[in-house]
Amino acid sequence: AQKITQTQPGMFVQEKEAVTLDCTYDTSDPSYGLFWYKQPSSGEMIFLIYQGSYDQQNATEGRYSLNFQKARKSANLVISASQLGDSAMYFCAMREGRGNQGGKLIFGQGTELSVKP
Amino acid sequence: EPEVTQTPSHQVTQMGQEVILRCVPISNHLYFYWYRQILGQKVEFLVSFYNNEISEKSEIFDDQFSVERPDGSNFTLKIRSTKLEDSAMYFCASMGQGWNEQFFGPGTRLTVL
């Protein structure tokens, strides 16, 4: 079964508008973390935002916010005021467990975002 | 700002040859990872490394792969006998004590001919 599901292979958004990229996850571990990464065409993986399973508030980092709905197991990324430079592939990822466990990330398939001028 | 670095940025090799991909993680990080991304696909976990030993590995990480942290700063991935299907982008990543950020290097694009 897929642990991380991103159902939108591609999305378009008008410059300066907000966009939501969907991510649902599946885990039975009560302790986990959710990450979003941006991968521009140059290929690097840029860390955007993190949400811990015990965090009471939704994470925010500048124009990025994470809409964390624990009961629905969703962790959608919201980008406000889109810019042309936001055009990229976006990956949602999950880390299960803590402590001396490995901390590996499990990635979704990604959503390609295109920002139109 | 501290960053993960990787060398080389691009490696071309013949099938059956050995390759070593190098990474310098962020200096105060304790957890180290290798991932790979076949062109157009999602990022896949290969191996995690903590306290000078492998803590977890995936099914992809078979006997052809090995990792080392030879000198306390570098973190290497060796593929002993490369196959065509090893062609991919290989990312090194590191994570600190807080477990709330995992930073990736720029990647090494491996092409096996």
Side-chain angles (χ1 to χ4, degrees):
Chain A
Q2 292 276 5
K3 290 231 173 186
I4 294 283
T5 303
Q6 295 181 255
T7 56
Q8 307 151 314
M11 290 273 290
F12 287 93
V13 65
Q14 204 67 38
E15 195 179 5
K16 298 180 187 173
E17 291 186 352
V19 63
T20 298
L21 307 183
D22 294 342
C23 174
T24 57
Y25 60 91
D26 183 27
T27 182
S28 56
D29 194 325
S31 178
Y32 55 90
L34 297 155
F35 298 71
W36 277 92
Y37 288 86
K38 173 184 178 182
Q39 187 176 44
S41 57
S42 50
E44 70 265 36
M45 294 286 287
I46 302 167
F47 168 73
L48 295 178
I49 197 167
Y50 167 84
Q51 179 84 44
S53 59
Y54 295 118
D55 293 344
Q56 294 296 312
Q57 294 190 326
N58 286 346
T60 60
E61 288 286 348
R63 292 187 300 111
Y64 304 108
S65 60
L66 204 151
N67 184 1
F68 181 46
Q69 297 188 43
K70 199 168 180 176
R72 296 180 59 188
K73 293 189 174 178
S74 76
N76 299 339
L77 177 71
V78 181
I79 306 174
S80 63
S82 298
Q83 301 172 355
L84 295 177
D86 294 334
S87 294
M89 183 73 89
Y90 288 80
F91 289 99
C92 179
M94 178 174 65
R95 181 216 75 224
E96 290 174 307
R98 278 201 66 92
N100 61 359
Q101 294 165 308
K104 73 180 184 194
L105 296 183
I106 304 162
F107 283 83
Q109 295 283 2
T111 295
E112 178 137 28
L113 178 66
S114 299
V115 180
K116 294 182 184 178
Chain B
E1 187 172 317
E3 59 181 14
V4 179
T5 59
Q6 288 185 245
T7 54
S9 55
H10 192 186
Q11 172 107 37
V12 181
T13 189
Q14 295 290 328
M15 191 169 58
Q17 295 296 303
E18 174 183 287
V19 294
I20 297 176
L21 310 184
R22 291 183 166 80
C23 168
V24 179
I26 294 172
S27 62
N28 61 348
H29 282 186
L30 301 176
Y31 303 88
F32 312 113
Y33 306 86
W34 284 100
Y35 296 86
R36 80 170 186 192
Q37 185 182 31
I38 294 170
L39 188 64
Q41 298 187 21
K42 68 179 179 181
V43 178
E44 299 174 289
F45 166 75
L46 291 178
V47 65
S48 57
F49 194 85
Y50 170 71
N51 204 22
N52 284 319
E53 60 183 23
I54 290 173
S55 47
E56 190 174 358
K57 58 185 180 180
S58 71
E59 291 175 354
I60 304 166
F61 194 87
D62 61 22
D63 292 344
Q64 294 300 311
F65 290 86
S66 62
V67 288
E68 263 194 334
R69 194 148 189 258
D71 58 11
S73 60
N74 289 285
F75 179 49
T76 62
L77 174 70
K78 183 193 291 187
I79 310 174
R80 286 190 188 80
S81 178
T82 49
K83 307 185 196 77
L84 294 176
E85 54 265 36
D86 293 328
S87 294
M89 180 77 96
Y90 288 80
F91 291 103
C92 173
S94 71
M95 185 164 72
Q97 284 274 59
W99 278 53
N100 55 358
E101 293 170 326
Q102 193 168 122
F103 290 107
F104 281 65
T108 293
R109 181 164 297 285
L110 177 65
T111 303
V112 182
L113 302 175

